[in-house]
Amino acid sequence: MAMANNKTQCSTCNKEKITYSCKGCSKDFCLIHLTEHQQILNEELNHITHEYNEFKQRINEQKQNPQNGLLINQIDQWERNSIEEIQQKAKDYRKIVIEYLPTFFNNIEMKFNDLNEQIKQIHAENDFNEINLNYLKNQLTEITKELNNSSNLSIQQESQSFINEISIILEKKSKFNKWKQNAITVAAGNRCGQKLNQLNLPDGIFIDKNKNIFIADCDNDRIVEWKCNAKQGQIIAGGNGQGNRMDQLCLPTDVIVDQQDHSIIIADRGNKRVIRWLNQNQQILINHICCYGLAMDKYGFFYVTNTEKDEVRRWKMSEYNNEGIVVAGGHGRGDQLNQLNYPNFIFVDEEQSVYVSDRNNDRVMKWKKDAKEGKIAAGGNGYGANLNQLFHPQGVIVDDLGQIYVADCWNDRVMRWCEGKGEGEIVIGGNGKGNQSNQLNRPCGLSFDDEGNLYVVDCFNHRTEKFETIL
């Protein structure tokens, strides 16, 4: 609450006085009524605290004896009616419910513990207003509803047989995202060209936390950044003609942003080098390498594919004066599990497993950390358009559930593969080669933003498409 410079009307007594503005309700109060207003807020906070304590007591009571719940009683009644034939199954179902309930209560406990910390902080700082109180009330209401609502767990009963079968239904959100099939063009799409609203055979892509898009504009020999919702991009590296000077690029294929210093790291393929750009200053990180794809993990390691040596190497960031370590391939060109054939894009997960688009083998390989050979994660059944095949795969990314997304380039589609499954599914495209909003023409780079929207570099359409997730 800040003191106003001039006398204004108190919202309580309506007199012209020196007043103080409350940021919560945006009203002005004189000193007397400011104290009164603060007392009202204190009483409301005490009321919320009381409701919180009651909620805590209720959840503790329910946690202590979860077997007295309605669901368990239904299972017991079913057991009695069906006699001995279903006793074993009833025992199994009780186990499922009892094992589920601690997780249910733990999730709620985590939420109200967080709420408790916020209430303690407000008490300690004694600096709050209506906005803070409304937030606390809403949070308490939400978790109270969650505790009272047992729809996450229900009984499904079948009556076709002599003995009524039951099963436990644990309601879950689908882990399989879906996307709108008509894309929004977020970069270029104005035919092939060198203007700032155009691209020329774009390849790799990187999305930062602000949804800014960084594109390796390959045949324009430049890296272009498209701000979120921008109508045109801006050149942040290259763009000075094709060449091997420090301020030039030659057919760049991939780009990533180092979150530590916000520098741009580029696979400058035509010059056989990996180069860093920071505020228009350049530094060659790795030289004499047929680089294509780049990746960086959370531990500070940097990964590069080499299409000439059919391998992926890893470097410790800031330690590029060595040859790096081979983490995938490196056993000559071939289709064995320890070989690659023209690896291009890569993805590295939280466990430092490396996923490689093994282009000429029409497969994606997964190499676990320190593994001597990889395993086929997608494709590997020859080139083709069947659901168990890929045709010259390019971009590859993996979501938090371990599901693999592949730009199936020559099939003009994006595929999703679940590890261990014999075939994938089409999630984007697959509607023939074309330039309509539901079509692709040689997709290359892939990326997600933090909302799960899927970005596809539509190479031969010279554009980048955004497919919005369906909630």
Side-chain angles (χ1 to χ4, degrees), residues 288-305:
H288 310 299
I289 181 172
C290 254
C291 52
Y292 200 111
L294 308 174
M296 190 181 299
D297 69 24
K298 66 178 184 179
Y299 303 102
F301 289 97
F302 181 70
Y303 302 74
V304 185
T305 57

Side-chain angles (χ1 to χ4, degrees), residues 275-289:
I275 189 168
R276 183 203 302 268
W277 283 57
L278 178 60
N279 300 325
Q280 296 303 311
N281 296 314
Q282 301 86 32
Q283 174 193 5
I284 295 175
L285 302 181
I286 307 168
N287 225 333
H288 310 299
I289 181 172

Side-chain angles (χ1 to χ4, degrees), residues 193-195 198-200 217-222 238-241 252:
Q194 296 181 346
K195 295 179 181 178
Q198 294 178 308
L199 296 170
N200 187 355
D217 190 9
C218 184
D219 273 29
N220 278 330
D221 306 298
R222 66 190 186 185
N240 300 306

Side-chain angles (χ1 to χ4, degrees), residues 439-454:
Q439 293 180 306
L440 299 169
N441 190 350
R442 300 295 187 260
C444 291
L446 294 182
S447 186
F448 287 123
D449 65 22
D450 57 5
E451 294 179 352
N453 301 309
L454 181 58

Side-chain angles (χ1 to χ4, degrees), residues 16-34:
E16 295 289 331
K17 295 183 177 181
I18 295 175
T19 59
Y20 303 83
S21 177
C22 174
K23 292 182 179 179
C25 63
S26 301
K27 294 181 180 179
D28 297 325
F29 299 95
C30 65
L31 185 59
I32 294 174
H33 293 106
L34 176 67

